[in-house]
Amino acid sequence: MRWNIFLIIGIFFIATASSRSDNNEIFLPEELNKSHTDLISAERSTKASLWKNFQSIHGKWSILLDKATGTPHRAIGKAIKLNISQNITIENIEDISMRFLDENAEVMNIKPEDLKLVKAIKRNNIWYVSYKQYFNNIEVLLSEVELRIHENGNLMMFGVSFYNDIDISLVPALSFSSACTNAMEGISKSNKATVQGSGEVKILPVRNNGKVNCRLVYPMIVKSGIDRYRTFVDAGNGNVLSRKNMIHNVESELQINGKIKRASALDEIDTYNFTGLNVKINNNIYTTGQEGKFNFDIDSDAEYEIKFEGPYANVKMKAGNSSVITGTVIPGENNINLNDTNSHLFERMLFFHTNIVHDYIKNVDPEMSCMDIPMTVLIDYNSSMGGANAFSNADTIQFIGCSDDEYRFVESPFVLYHEYGHSINTLLYNYLGHDDMFNMLTQEALADLLAALIIDEPKLGLGAFTNEPDRIMRNLENDVIYPDSLIGESHHDGQVLSGAFWDIRKETSLEYVAKLSHFALYGTPDDPNDGVALYEWFIETLVSADDDGDLSNGVPNADIIIRAFNRHNIGTDLYMQSNFTHEALKDTPELVNPYIAEFSIISLKSLGSVPDSVSLYYSTDNFETTHRIFAAKDGENDYKAEIPAQPKGSLVKYYFTAYDPAAKEEILFSAAKSSFIPFDFLVGYHTAYYDDFEEETGWLTGSTSDNAQSGRWERGIPEEVDLSEWGIGFVQPGEDHSENGDKCYVTGAKGGQSMLDGILVGKTTLNSPAFDISVLESPVVRIWNLFNVIELMSLSEATVAIEASNDNGTTWTRIAKLDDPIFEWRKLQFKVEDYLELSENFKIRIIANNPSNSWFPPMCEVLVDDFEILTTNEEIVNSVEDNETSPELIAYPNPFENKINIDLSEFSGNCDITIMDINGTVVYLKNNYSGAGFFWNGINMSGNEVSAGTYFVQLSDGFKSTVARIIKH
């Protein structure tokens, strides 16, 4: 049931939360949950010559390409003066934009004829132009072509997401009514679900392993109680590809119960004029203006009626007992006082502050019309969600659980301002042609920033908690940095961006930051990946600050903006890290020639962020000693560095650095952006043993010291646990690490309604079988792991320990202890002889531990996959258990290159010979073979040579059978 999830993920929800709705399976297409790991520099693309020609014409541009689509995700550089002979107007902006796109269609990898204009709007001297892709007149979701053009005709930035290789049927195999039925599966049974949708199909690009697979989908909105799920249903097979709750709640502690105060719950009660309030007199509607006044004509006494309604606010009690204030006005001056005798405190408070925030926004951006609506604000004394809260659904803001007097959220205007900020994000993005601001971190950051700017106070929440008046919820004056400080909870993590803007506010003015941050919204910066979304916000902030449409000649206050964003690691440093690409060096047999590491760093050179002292550091002894190599330029953004040849048996670890003069710091580039994990490769090794855990191979779970209450080790298929709709993110992936197969060892594979059984609480141990590695030279053990922790109500002390034994588990030696969880697969490998002497009874064990005395422990999941033992000699190994229970197979030479001799002398009569790859696929089959030996030359049944790798030989004569591993070089 879904209330279980609320108890887990609602950070500020009350422990006695009541049921809200049934549990929902949440699906997300991979495009929406994968990091942008396939971004490359233009110089390394297949269209490198075209981009080189582009730069020869227009000057140096920083161009970051999407490798999967070949389109420039973002490009900025020296302004391109567009060929125009007249002022840019709404009538000619599309022609001007399309002329540029037509001229550069080949290099941008787009088809201009497939584009439709979404918006062309001028704000703050900049034209924001946006197109969507349509394939055979069907909209392609997640597509965009963005241009930023200054009013003087300078094109200063462009970005493209365009999908060329669409090859799908455009005729739905599923009816819309059937799709609606599928869309409601798993939705609340306590609230009747309804569907809104036109039945129009669209195309959804889905990324997988660096490729894009497009699907025909039905978009729709599923309503269930207060929830609004944006849902995509596959129009071919009916699968729910994506379901995302559009509701944005401020946080689970937000509740409303207080008196009318101007800035915070700590203020004294006072009387303020109400603007924007409708008053009905003689069936005519009048609206109060400044100072709460309006003029009207009467010649005798007249009856009036007042509800808390106006052009920009409509406040209602959800139970149906909204106040209706009536009385009599007489000719001349009248004063109507709204007080406890004729209305409720909550109504007055919320109506007043809804008009305050609307007027504030209109003062910043008078031309913005999407907020000129009567924002509905609902007051609900009860909560069916499990506690007091406040949330936004675009044109509606709702406060629930208002009867709890432990909280004074109605007395804290920032709560309303925060929720109104969510509404701005949604309604303005809708107006600009986008469904919503998808990224939850930036959603929360901009909502907090608006509230802080209106009250001019970085500490949000003062006075909101009755018994803790000095307690705050968030502080924009902070040291939160990306990604080190992020915990996976969007309200907390949003402080990294809101903090950067507040730092600018401290060096400039309130009015400057209000305009700077607001007009950056017109660039619709957004991405499911936090890092990409944050660097888009950095770029759009610079665009918003520019005064002549040319970022290359400097930006007013650029030093302040860069300094503020860099203070939180989301400025030129994040831009440089986000635009770093390197294909990691692979294991190699090379012992003579150097190993050339090629990499790219795209930076904002026009703003003083020029990579300096670019270097590679490497080590062969786990960084006890380190060697530095200065990298050589190999193009505008490309570098190369040569690691000297290393002897056989080397484990080489390396990383890169560059000094950023704008950030005034050295930027480190490693295999993971969120923590230091060096790249590494082996020299002169081959596989002696490999286990992808698709079959039982003797690994055992459990130890006498284990105390896990849930989430014990098991071999199975991990079920996806995605709490992105709550701003939490992914807890567990829905797949293993292996390229083939789907099983791994996981601390609780369950998801869905049983997800609590899969969350690790306590300690659990995974033990390998014993291996005879005494015959191996310089053996290396390699295993892939994913270690993820989300802190909610308590801090995490979770760890993953890897230990090894050379005496069959009598004594153990610590190899590594991980305490830096991250939601991605990581490779861990070590040289056995660095820790232990080789033996015939080598084992490893993996201990996952999430200790917690809290009633609500951190959410922890650990997965391991693809265990491998590598060696520099020609030996292979099996587990000791395998050797004791399987007949010995004599095959030589093993590993082999051209052919291998398989001894059949132990088998009588005819023998069936089956050779399979590691996935169990039969590559060679020979039945009823008679003879003492058999030669296999590595040719499969199609007559082609099989690739190098591990294979299994199965022999059977009807009386006995055996399976053994062989390796082809």
Side-chain angles (χ1 to χ4, degrees):
M1 292 188 300
R2 188 167 167 187
W3 69 272
N4 285 330
I5 292 183
F6 265 86
L7 289 179
I8 294 173
I9 65 176
I11 300 179
F12 303 106
F13 269 58
I14 302 173
T16 57
S18 60
S19 173
R20 175 181 175 192
S21 60
D22 292 337
N23 180 43
N24 299 295
E25 292 289 342
I26 303 299
F27 304 86
L28 287 175
E30 294 186 51
E31 164 70 20
L32 304 185
N33 60 49
K34 295 291 187 182
S35 300
H36 282 248
T37 55
D38 52 355
L39 298 179
I40 60 172
S41 67
E43 290 82 358
R44 294 201 175 278
S45 73
T46 57
K47 294 181 177 288
S49 60
L50 292 174
W51 284 112
K52 184 176 181 180
N53 182 62
F54 176 91
Q55 295 195 13
S56 69
I57 298 173
H58 300 298
K60 299 302 182 183
W61 276 64
S62 297
I63 305 163
L64 189 67
L65 297 184
D66 186 331
K67 186 177 181 181
T69 63
T71 58
H73 179 72
R74 285 295 181 272
I76 64 173
K78 183 176 176 57
I80 298 174
K81 192 69 175 178
L82 300 179
N83 184 19
I84 56 176
S85 58
Q86 54 188 325
N87 292 333
I88 302 177
T89 66
I90 190 62
E91 287 76 21
N92 63 21
I93 182 63
E94 184 173 8
D95 290 338
I96 292 171
S97 301
M98 189 53 69
R99 192 181 310 133
F100 173 79
L101 297 176
D102 285 334
E103 292 171 353
N104 296 278
E106 183 180 7
V107 66
M108 296 171 75
N109 204 19
I110 62 173
K111 298 174 183 176
E113 64 272 17
D114 287 353
L115 298 177
K116 290 187 180 181
L117 184 68
V118 174
K119 74 167 185 284
I121 188 170
K122 180 184 174 184
R123 290 292 186 272
N124 205 26
N125 301 323
I126 297 171
W127 283 94
Y128 292 86
V129 184
S130 178
Y131 292 86
K132 275 273 189 184
Q133 178 187 1
Y134 284 76
F135 180 75
N136 287 354
N137 291 320
I138 297 178
E139 180 184 347
V140 181
L141 300 166
L142 306 175
S143 65
E144 65 175 7
V145 175
E146 299 283 343
L147 303 178
R148 305 289 177 266
I149 303 173
H150 195 272
E151 63 179 358
N152 63 13
N154 284 346
L155 184 136
M156 54 200 302
M157 189 274 280
F158 59 86
V160 176
S161 290
F162 191 94
Y163 304 89
N164 277 290
D165 300 322
I166 301 177
D167 184 17
I168 59 174
S169 172
L170 302 180
V171 179
L174 186 76
S175 68
F176 179 62
S177 60
S178 297
C180 291
T181 300
N182 292 1
M184 291 186 287
E185 290 183 1
I187 296 292
S188 167
K189 295 182 177 62
S190 60
N191 293 307
K192 184 178 179 180
T194 59
V195 174
Q196 288 182 340
S198 65
E200 178 185 8
V201 292
K202 297 186 180 182
I203 297 171
L204 178 68
V206 179
R207 292 176 184 266
N208 186 17
N209 293 326
K211 298 181 180 179
V212 176
N213 175 30
C214 291
R215 302 179 188 175
L216 194 70
V217 298
Y218 286 111
M220 60 192 71
I221 301 296
V222 180
K223 292 185 175 182
S224 174
I226 62 171
D227 292 320
R228 301 292 184 270
Y229 294 99
R230 179 177 292 111
T231 306
F232 296 109
V233 178
D234 194 311
N237 56 29
N239 291 338
V240 178
L241 296 178
S242 172
R243 180 187 291 152
K244 175 180 177 286
N245 199 335
M246 298 164 60
I247 296 295
H248 303 292
N249 59 50
V250 63
E251 51 194 339
S252 48
E253 288 183 323
L254 300 182
Q255 303 181 30
I256 307 170
N257 187 4
K259 299 178 180 180
I260 294 175
K261 298 177 181 180
R262 183 61 181 84
S264 83
L266 301 178
D267 287 353
E268 296 294 330
I269 297 173
D270 206 341
T271 301
Y272 296 91
N273 297 321
F274 274 63
T275 63
L277 181 66
N278 287 345
V279 180
K280 184 178 180 180
I281 302 176
N282 289 340
N283 292 321
N284 294 317
I285 302 296
Y286 302 88
T287 303
T288 59
Q290 293 299 318
E291 299 183 0
K293 297 179 179 180
F294 66 92
N295 297 318
F296 63 101
D297 294 325
I298 57 172
D299 55 12
S300 62
D301 293 357
E303 300 300 315
Y304 68 82
E305 180 182 281
I306 299 174
K307 300 177 182 178
F308 284 97
E309 298 176 353
Y312 310 121
N314 185 1
V315 177
K316 296 180 179 180
M317 293 285 190
K318 194 173 182 184
N321 56 346
S322 299
S323 297
V324 179
I325 306 163
T326 59
T328 303
V329 294
I330 61 176
E333 294 185 1
N334 292 272
N335 180 35
I336 299 173
N337 183 250
L338 306 177
N339 52 55
D340 290 346
T341 65
N342 55 30
S343 59
H344 196 286
L345 294 172
F346 289 177
E347 295 173 297
R348 302 196 301 271
M349 187 77 178
L350 295 177
F351 184 87
F352 177 85
H353 285 287
T354 301
N355 280 277
I356 288 291
V357 65
H358 171 269
D359 293 347
Y360 178 87
I361 291 298
K362 290 297 287 187
N363 182 61
V364 173
D365 184 4
E367 296 181 79
M368 188 177 77
S369 60
C370 61
M371 304 307 297
D372 292 340
I373 58 173
M375 178 69 68
T376 299
V377 184
L378 299 177
I379 303 170
D380 188 353
Y381 271 80
N382 301 310
S383 172
S384 59
M385 292 176 55
N389 205 345
F391 53 85
S392 160
N393 178 24
D395 59 359
T396 301
I397 296 172
Q398 185 167 342
F399 292 81
I400 63 174
C402 301
S403 59
D404 193 332
D405 59 6
E406 292 186 14
Y407 305 93
R408 300 186 297 194
F409 293 142
V410 176
E411 298 178 60
S412 302
F414 104 88
V415 175
L416 177 70
Y417 300 159
H418 174 100
E419 295 306 330
Y420 201 99
H422 281 308
S423 294
I424 291 175
N425 295 342
T426 298
L427 293 175
L428 181 57
Y429 271 45
N430 290 168
Y431 173 73
L432 298 173
H434 291 251
D435 289 337
D436 199 351
M437 181 189 292
F438 183 87
N439 187 276
M440 294 299 295
L441 181 155
T442 57
Q443 265 278 9
E444 298 300 337
L446 271 294
D448 271 356
L449 179 64
L450 177 66
L453 291 174
I454 294 176
I455 64 177
D456 197 14
E457 169 58 56
K459 297 178 180 179
L460 300 180
L462 282 170
F465 303 92
T466 306
N467 298 323
E468 301 176 84
D470 294 330
R471 178 180 173 184
I472 63 173
M473 293 182 181
R474 290 177 293 282
N475 188 356
L476 275 63
E477 197 164 19
N478 62 66
D479 295 318
V480 179
I481 61 173
Y482 176 85
D484 303 47
S485 304
L486 271 56
I487 64 173
E489 198 284 312
S490 56
H491 297 91
H492 170 275
D493 295 348
Q495 293 174 112
V496 70
L497 178 59
S498 60
F501 277 114
W502 195 260
D503 288 344
I504 299 173
R505 185 263 175 276
K506 291 191 294 184
E507 292 198 55
T508 56
S509 68
L510 200 66
E511 294 73 20
Y512 178 78
V513 176
K515 289 183 178 293
L516 184 72
S517 59
H518 176 77
F519 286 109
L521 282 167
Y522 281 92
T524 58
D526 195 22
D527 194 89
N529 177 263
D530 290 341
V532 177
L534 288 168
Y535 99 71
E536 285 189 14
W537 263 99
F538 176 55
I539 296 301
E540 293 295 348
T541 300
L542 292 170
V543 170
S544 177
D546 193 60
D547 60 352
D548 66 353
D550 189 352
L551 296 177
S552 69
N553 63 3
V555 173
N557 292 319
D559 57 335
I560 296 175
I561 296 170
I562 292 173
R563 182 163 57 247
F565 273 74
N566 280 349
R567 187 169 180 267
H568 299 269
N569 284 359
I570 57 173
T572 57
D573 44 9
L574 174 61
Y575 186 89
M576 198 179 289
Q577 282 188 323
S578 297
N579 298 335
F580 166 81
T581 53
H582 168 61
E583 184 173 348
L585 295 175
K586 295 179 172 57
D587 296 347
T588 177
E590 179 62 59
L591 304 176
V592 177
N593 297 309
Y595 317 113
I596 301 176
E598 299 178 326
F599 58 103
S600 299
I601 303 176
I602 301 177
S603 62
L604 294 171
K605 299 179 177 64
S606 60
L607 297 175
S609 177
V610 182
D612 191 14
S613 302
V614 182
S615 304
L616 178 150
Y617 290 86
Y618 79 92
S619 175
T620 56
D621 56 10
N622 202 27
F623 296 108
E624 289 189 16
T625 58
T626 303
H627 309 277
R628 181 179 186 179
I629 299 172
F630 285 99
K633 287 289 292 278
D634 191 32
E636 177 63 24
N637 300 302
D638 296 339
Y639 301 84
K640 65 169 56 176
E642 295 186 355
I643 300 175
Q646 300 296 318
K648 186 177 183 179
S650 296
L651 169 54
V652 184
K653 298 183 179 183
Y654 66 100
Y655 61 93
F656 305 93
T657 64
Y659 181 76
D660 178 11
K664 293 182 173 59
E665 64 180 357
E666 187 173 66
I667 310 300
L668 187 146
F669 309 95
S670 69
K673 290 184 174 64
S674 58
S675 59
F676 174 67
I677 300 177
F679 300 98
D680 60 6
F681 64 94
L682 299 173
V683 179
Y685 278 85
H686 75 86
T687 299
Y689 180 84
Y690 172 75
D691 190 350
D692 59 6
F693 300 141
E694 293 305 311
E695 303 293 338
E696 291 287 355
T697 52
W699 288 70
L700 300 175
T701 60
S703 166
T704 56
S705 63
D706 285 356
N707 60 5
Q709 305 168 35
S710 61
R712 300 172 187 86
W713 284 113
E714 60 179 312
R715 189 179 67 86
I717 302 172
E719 299 176 18
E720 183 179 88
V721 177
D722 172 23
L723 303 179
S724 297
E725 65 164 324
W726 308 111
I728 302 297
F730 281 81
V731 180
Q732 179 169 286
E735 58 187 2
D736 69 347
H737 175 264
S738 307
E739 291 186 7
N740 299 290
D742 51 15
K743 294 179 181 177
C744 64
Y745 276 97
V746 51
T747 55
K750 293 181 179 179
Q753 295 185 9
S754 302
M755 61 170 289
L756 289 177
D757 296 334
I759 300 300
L760 173 62
V761 180
K763 184 172 72 170
T764 183
T765 305
L766 176 64
N767 304 274
S768 80
F771 298 93
D772 181 1
I773 62 172
S774 61
V775 296
L776 303 183
E777 292 181 357
S778 303
V780 166
V781 170
R782 174 186 294 166
I783 193 165
W784 290 83
N785 75 94
L786 187 152
F787 172 31
N788 188 38
V789 174
I790 295 177
E791 297 176 328
L792 296 176
M793 298 293 288
S794 56
L795 297 178
S796 170
E797 297 180 3
T799 59
V800 177
I802 294 88
E803 298 180 346
S805 170
N806 61 0
D807 55 12
N808 204 32
T810 301
T811 60
W812 294 92
T813 298
R814 176 67 54 85
I815 303 298
K817 184 176 182 179
L818 308 178
D819 57 6
D820 56 340
I822 181 174
F823 191 76
E824 64 182 39
W825 284 98
R826 295 186 289 188
K827 177 177 66 176
L828 175 70
Q829 59 185 16
F830 63 92
K831 277 188 170 183
V832 177
E833 289 172 297
D834 287 347
Y835 301 91
L836 297 168
E837 294 183 359
L838 305 187
S839 78
E840 298 177 355
N841 289 289
F842 172 77
K843 286 185 174 183
I844 74 162
R845 68 180 181 185
I846 302 165
I847 305 169
N849 190 16
N850 183 28
S852 178
N853 295 321
S854 169
W855 68 273
F856 195 76
M859 304 180 76
C860 178
E861 284 290 357
V862 185
L863 298 84
V864 296
D865 203 3
D866 295 329
F867 175 77
E868 194 171 3
I869 300 175
L870 302 103
T871 183
T872 58
N873 61 1
E874 300 301 315
E875 297 293 337
I876 62 172
V877 298
N878 288 307
S879 66
V880 173
E881 287 85 346
D882 287 344
N883 290 335
E884 293 174 349
T885 59
S886 301
E888 183 177 0
L889 172 70
I890 300 175
Y892 56 92
N894 192 10
F896 71 100
E897 292 186 3
N898 299 319
K899 63 181 180 180
I900 186 169
N901 181 22
I902 301 171
D903 186 357
L904 304 178
S905 60
E906 295 294 322
F907 291 82
S908 60
N910 295 336
C911 186
D912 293 337
I913 305 170
T914 306
I915 301 177
M916 299 166 288
D917 63 17
I918 61 173
N919 303 311
T921 302
V922 176
V923 298
Y924 186 87
L925 178 62
K926 186 75 171 180
N927 290 326
N928 298 319
Y929 181 82
S930 60
F934 173 77
F935 286 95
W936 183 51
N937 57 4
I939 303 299
N940 62 22
M941 290 183 293
S942 299
N944 300 318
E945 184 178 0
V946 300
S947 60
T950 301
Y951 295 85
F952 297 92
V953 178
Q954 177 177 299
L955 304 178
S956 176
D957 63 358
F959 298 96
K960 63 180 178 180
S961 65
T962 187
V963 177
R965 188 187 311 267
I966 61 175
I967 297 176
K968 183 180 185 301
H969 277 173

